[in-house]
């Protein structure tokens, strides 16, 4: 049984533009239903309110688990992970200009999120490039 009503789930999916709010993988064309992430994990008091929910792809969801902070690989500092409800994606992330399909962190939060969620795993880059080739991931240039 789902923890969310169909109405609540539809609100989260629509607000997210039908894509993972971390790596922007489109939900369209995917076999698996995208899970809903509790940005602040329920184990530390996170609620089921819309302000605490984000649409994630199964990959990001499995890697984020209950983390809310991660290590910036550039500085070694522990920083907050990207929060889709209060952070601007474009401020923290950009698509690499010279490594097709790879996401680059512009900030400590961006870099820590990419590392913690293993956003640039080889399989995810391959999937992005494949989806870009069939015009299902227009943000990514192959
Ligand atoms: Zn994702």
């Amino acid at each position: 049984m789902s923890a969310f009503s169909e109405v609540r789930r539809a609100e989260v999916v629509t607000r997210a533009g039908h894509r993972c709010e971390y790596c922007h993988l489109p939900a369209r064309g995917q076999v698996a239903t995208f899970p809903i992430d509790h940005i602040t994990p329920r184990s530390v008091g996170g609620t089921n309110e819309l302000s605490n929910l984000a649409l994630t792809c199964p990959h990001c969801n499995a890697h984020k688990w209950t983390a809310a902070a991660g290590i910036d690989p550039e500085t070694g500092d522990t920083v907050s992970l990207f929060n889709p409800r209060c952070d601007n994606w474009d401020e923290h992330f950009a698509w690499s200009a010279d490594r097709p399909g790879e996401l680059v962190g512009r900030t400590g939060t961006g870099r820590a999120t990419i590392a913690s969620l293993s956003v640039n795993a080889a399989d995810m880059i391959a999937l992005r490039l494949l989806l870009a080739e069939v015009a299902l991931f227009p943000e990514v240039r192959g």
Side-chain angles (χ1 to χ4, degrees):
M1 187 171 154
S2 172
F4 307 102
S5 69
E6 284 304 309
V7 171
R8 174 59 45 96
R9 179 173 176 75
E11 287 173 318
V12 173
V13 170
T14 300
R15 178 180 63 188
H18 300 264
R19 63 186 183 180
C20 175
E21 296 194 66
Y22 295 98
C23 76
H24 278 185
L25 186 73
R28 185 167 170 236
Q30 302 296 319
V31 173
T33 299
F34 277 21
I36 294 176
D37 172 51
H38 288 89
I39 297 164
T40 299
R42 296 186 72 185
S43 59
V44 292
T47 69
N48 281 336
E49 296 301 313
L50 277 175
S51 59
N52 190 45
L53 302 177
L55 188 66
T56 61
C57 70
H59 179 91
C60 287
N61 190 258
H63 286 84
K64 182 173 178 286
W65 194 230
T66 59
I71 298 190
D72 176 357
E74 202 170 288
T75 65
D77 294 341
T78 299
V79 297
S80 296
L81 295 181
F82 177 72
N83 180 331
R85 296 288 66 80
C86 55
D87 295 329
N88 180 309
W89 196 91
D90 292 315
E91 280 177 24
H92 295 282
F93 305 106
W95 295 107
S96 171
D98 54 354
R99 295 180 304 279
E102 189 175 315
L103 195 62
V104 176
R106 291 178 152 164
T107 63
T109 288
R111 290 185 294 271
T113 302
I114 289 168
S116 296
L117 277 54
S118 193
V119 168
N120 287 323
D123 286 351
M124 293 306 290
I125 291 175
L127 177 59
R128 286 182 206 123
L129 294 175
L130 178 66
L131 291 172
E133 210 169 292
V134 295
L136 285 177
F137 205 158
E139 286 178 59
V140 171
R141 287 184 298 276

